[in-house]
Amino acid sequence: MTAITAHAAFIHPMDFDNSAAQQQQVINYIQSNVAADYCEGAVDMCQPTTLRMMEKTNLKAFKHLTQATDRKLLDKVISDYCDGGPDSCSYSTINMMYNQNLKVSKTSLSW
């Protein structure tokens, strides 16, 4: 995946080993990603309260994703949101889309 090499600090949640080094790498990635989104992007909400709130949201999402059960689906979501297009490679977006895709993958169109 090109986003994983482009974002050297990105840790795939299903590959997370809970080591201190990887915990710090996840925190660094989240802080960098949130700062880019809220301080350097189109949204100008670069306030400590907003940054800490979004960092906590992303860390909680990452922790949920470490419990994911469908690696193929999670890989596809990561690819869709981290490779190409607008950069939406936040753990909160990935978690939301993984959960939605998992939910609808168990349904089908009916009358």
Side-chain angles (χ1 to χ4, degrees):
M1 291 182 198
T2 58
I4 292 174
T5 55
H7 297 288
F10 183 90
I11 297 283
H12 191 296
M14 293 181 85
D15 294 337
F16 183 65
D17 66 13
N18 205 25
S19 66
Q22 281 197 345
Q23 288 174 1
Q24 190 59 53
Q25 193 172 353
V26 169
I27 287 170
N28 291 344
Y29 178 81
I30 289 171
Q31 289 174 330
S32 174
N33 193 279
V34 168
D37 287 347
Y38 290 90
C39 298
E40 301 163 13
V43 178
D44 185 14
M45 296 178 65
C46 191
Q47 305 164 16
T49 303
T50 303
L51 297 176
R52 294 308 87 73
M53 179 179 66
M54 295 312 299
E55 289 167 357
K56 286 180 182 180
T57 298
N58 274 274
L59 184 56
K60 183 177 179 180
F62 177 84
K63 289 177 180 179
H64 283 141
L65 287 167
T66 64
Q67 303 302 310
T69 56
D70 188 334
R71 178 153 194 132
K72 183 176 177 183
L73 179 61
L74 182 55
D75 287 347
K76 176 67 173 140
V77 171
I78 291 170
S79 176
D80 288 350
Y81 288 87
C82 297
D83 296 342
D87 189 11
S88 299
C89 195
S90 70
Y91 290 119
S92 60
T93 299
I94 294 166
N95 186 50
M96 178 183 62
M97 295 312 299
Y98 172 78
N99 288 329
Q100 289 300 315
N101 279 290
L102 190 61
K103 180 179 172 182
V104 298
S105 70
K106 298 173 184 170
T107 63
S108 62
L109 182 63
S110 64
W111 200 262

